[in-house]
Each structure stands twice: as structure tokens, then as C-alpha cells.
Amino acid sequence: MKFKNLAVYNEDFKFVKGDICVENGVFSDSSDGEVLDCEGLMMIPGLVDVHTHGAIGYEAKDGTLEALEALSRFEGEHGTTAFLPTTATQSTEELMIAAKTVAEAKSKVSGAKIAGMHLEGPYFSMKYKGAQNPEYIRTPDVEEFRKINAASGGLVRLISIAPENEGAEEFVKAVKNEVKVAAGH
């Protein structure tokens, strides 16, 4: 199928007039098949949600395939093509379950694709904890992080930590080649 006369959002972050061809659900150079005039319409790349705890009664931290499938469908229905299920500050055991479930669900979800996972915490500041459960806030632990990441099959793409906490600088130096580290609570 060919979509013609679109305003296409390009790599320079500008809309330009253009055509898009799709063959078997994949962008292509082929112009065979049905032609749809899209004059006045805009097309953007699929969105990637790097911080989503949950929606429609499910949370990424639930650690269930049902929750991740529901989130995948919800994200896909709202313009997101890939997402990072995001945990909250929890026990090591709960984070391990969530990580294993992300690894299992990655190839099974039917909506937006799971591009990895985001650990929001547990290495946060009590002073700026926000909605994080204070019972599970702790200092950065490289071995614990690696254990959780291994459980996910190496899918942890982002971890948010409190940079002012004792041990944060050492943690970042130790894991910077394994995961993106963001300043958080």
C-alpha cells in the first residue's frame, strides 16, 4: 500500500511532504498495491514510552504476563510502538519476579513491543521518595542490580537512582556500560 501526500515527520524533526509505502506491514520502497491519498494528514514514527508503571488496572510491577499483555495492548492502542515496563521501589524478590516476567513476556505480547525494562528505584532518597515505598528504599547495590538484570535476560535499559545518595557515584561508574542511569527521586 502507498500512502501519498503525507506530511511526514523526518529525522530533522520537521514535517515534509512525502509518500510512505508499506508491504506486508513493513515500510518498503515498493509502490505496488493500493494507493491512499492522505492530503492534509500527518505521520509520525511510533512513540516509545520509557517510563510507564501501568494503566487500566495493571502495573508493570505486578510481575504477571496478564499485566504486561494488558499494558502492551493499551500502549499500542494509543500510538506507542515500544515501551519499557517500569517497576517501583520494591523488595529484591518482587523486582526479580517482575524482571523474569518481562523476559518471558517480551516475545509474547500482542500490542506495543517490550523494548526492555526501567527500574525506578529502589536506590532513592528518603527525603525525596515521592510515592515510592520507604520500606524498600536502599543504597545502590551493584550486585543486586546485576542479579535483577540477569533475571530479565539483560533487558534492564534504564535505572533511576538518587544521585546524592552515598554510593551513587560508585554505582554509576560500575554499571554505566550495562545500563543508562537517570537521576531520580
Side-chain angles (χ1 to χ4, degrees):
M1 174 175 263
K2 180 177 184 175
F3 300 90
K4 69 177 195 164
N5 300 319
L6 283 165
V8 180
Y9 199 65
N10 70 11
E11 63 274 0
D12 295 322
F13 306 103
K14 296 179 181 173
F15 282 100
V16 296
K17 190 83 160 194
D19 300 335
I20 301 287
C21 297
V22 177
E23 187 174 349
N24 297 321
V26 178
F27 293 117
S28 72
D29 295 326
S30 172
S31 60
D32 296 339
E34 184 182 348
V35 176
L36 184 61
D37 188 355
C38 297
E39 185 69 41
L41 299 177
M42 304 167 114
M43 181 178 279
I44 63 170
L47 303 173
V48 178
D49 188 346
V50 299
H51 189 146
T52 184
H53 290 287
I56 60 172
Y58 294 96
E59 291 189 59
K61 71 177 189 168
D62 291 348
T64 67
L65 292 173
E66 177 186 12
L68 293 175
E69 172 61 21
L71 294 175
S72 168
R73 284 192 324 269
F74 177 82
E75 291 275 3
E77 291 166 359
H78 292 88
T80 302
T81 57
F83 72 111
L84 299 181
T86 305
T87 59
T89 297
Q90 300 170 261
S91 70
T92 303
E93 295 75 24
E94 290 170 309
L95 291 171
M96 293 287 291
I97 291 167
K100 288 176 184 175
T101 306
V102 166
E104 183 180 353
K106 185 175 184 339
S107 63
K108 295 180 179 179
V109 294
S110 63
K113 301 298 178 204
I114 293 175
M117 72 182 289
H118 175 177
L119 295 177
E120 187 183 24
Y123 314 130
F124 282 148
S125 161
M126 287 298 281
K127 183 176 179 182
Y128 302 109
K129 68 182 177 359
Q132 301 296 320
N133 187 338
E135 181 179 345
Y136 299 113
I137 290 175
R138 48 202 181 267
T139 58
D141 184 328
V142 173
E143 293 311 311
E144 179 185 48
F145 162 75
R146 288 184 174 146
K147 184 176 169 184
I148 295 165
N149 194 26
S152 76
L155 290 175
V156 177
R157 302 288 184 250
L158 180 63
I159 183 168
S160 298
I161 70 167
E164 71 274 17
N165 279 0
E166 184 178 328
E169 185 175 348
E170 294 81 7
F171 179 86
V172 172
K173 287 177 181 176
V175 303
K176 68 181 181 183
N177 294 322
E178 301 167 52
V179 63
K180 298 290 183 203
V181 181
H185 299 262

